[in-house]
Amino acid sequence: MKNIVYFDLETRLSAAQVGGWHEASKMGMSVGVTYSTRDKAYHIYTQDQVEALIEELRTADLVVGYNHIGFDYQVLQAFTFWTLADVSNNLDICTDLTSRIGHRLKLDSVASVTLGNSKTAEGLDALKWWAEYEKTGDPQKMLDIARYCCFDVKVTMEVHKFGALNGYVNYVDKKGETVRVDVDWRLDW
């Protein structure tokens, strides 16, 4: 059985705090989460465990994420000499959809219409939780980040599976109309 690894991470610092999105490698990682189809389990990593995360991504048969090549891998670049986009097989759903429709969509924009469910929080919430954790050491704040990140991985996985099984996903355009986007994300290997 091939191992598909669904992936997302949350950072310690915002783009504004490090000088812009082009400085993603300076943001640090608070939590990284994967779901492995081989293990049928979620794996949660802190920055202290980033080498194990990178190894899981590097050795997966396919890594599926939402803007993981354009963002998450850039964050991880500070921790590895590997260029993860070059040493792993990837499906970046955000990049694929952008190439098909000509503009970027948020994960929530796709999930809410395609699946009928949406994200539980926003990335800014994860940054607040990290700041609170740093200040207080309250482990509940790390659990909040991990829970949020796990849910994003689950939503990414559900969007991917829906698209793979049905050949399309949906989103709502600026006029409030539901738009269908045909995709080719087969799971037949």
Side-chain angles (χ1 to χ4, degrees):
M1 175 182 186
K2 299 285 185 177
N3 186 26
I4 300 174
V5 173
Y6 296 90
F7 164 61
D8 188 33
L9 66 73
E10 300 305 322
T11 63
R12 293 178 173 198
L13 300 171
S14 69
Q17 290 173 297
V18 299
W21 291 107
H22 64 284
E23 299 287 354
S25 64
K26 296 179 181 177
M27 292 181 179
M29 182 182 84
S30 59
V31 171
V33 173
T34 62
Y35 179 87
S36 165
T37 60
R38 180 191 60 222
D39 301 344
K40 295 183 179 12
Y42 288 90
H43 303 276
I44 300 170
Y45 301 92
T46 63
Q47 186 166 291
D48 294 343
Q49 301 160 316
V50 73
E51 289 178 13
L53 168 62
I54 290 168
E55 186 63 12
E56 182 179 7
L57 298 171
R58 197 181 65 74
T59 60
D61 293 304
L62 177 66
V63 177
V64 178
Y66 203 90
N67 196 32
H68 73 286
I69 292 174
F71 178 69
D72 302 59
Y73 279 1
Q74 302 310 310
V75 171
L76 292 178
Q77 198 59 55
F79 305 102
T80 185
F81 63 88
W82 298 104
T83 302
L84 289 169
D86 294 340
V87 296
S88 57
N89 188 19
N90 295 281
L91 170 60
D92 187 320
I93 294 173
C94 180
T95 301
D96 185 65
L97 293 175
T98 300
S99 72
R100 293 173 189 277
I101 64 172
H103 60 89
R104 254 184 87 163
L105 298 170
K106 291 184 175 187
L107 175 58
D108 203 40
S109 299
V110 178
S112 62
V113 180
T114 302
L115 305 172
N117 64 4
S118 57
K119 294 172 54 160
T120 58
E122 293 295 324
L124 293 177
D125 293 322
L127 290 169
K128 284 191 291 188
W129 294 327
W130 173 256
E132 290 173 26
Y133 172 75
E134 273 196 307
K135 189 182 302 182
T136 66
D138 180 0
Q140 183 60 48
K141 297 305 169 190
M142 285 296 280
L143 288 172
D144 290 341
I145 299 168
R147 189 175 301 113
Y148 164 65
C149 197
C150 283
F151 193 78
D152 272 7
V153 169
K154 180 182 179 187
V155 169
T156 300
M157 179 170 47
E158 289 177 355
V159 166
H160 176 239
K161 286 181 178 180
F162 182 96
L165 293 171
N166 296 289
Y168 72 93
V169 294
N170 297 312
Y171 72 96
V172 174
D173 67 11
K174 292 179 182 181
K175 298 177 200 169
E177 297 177 18
T178 299
V179 178
R180 175 181 162 144
V181 181
D182 292 330
V183 296
D184 184 17
W185 302 337
R186 293 183 313 268
L187 291 173
D188 57 0
W189 51 273

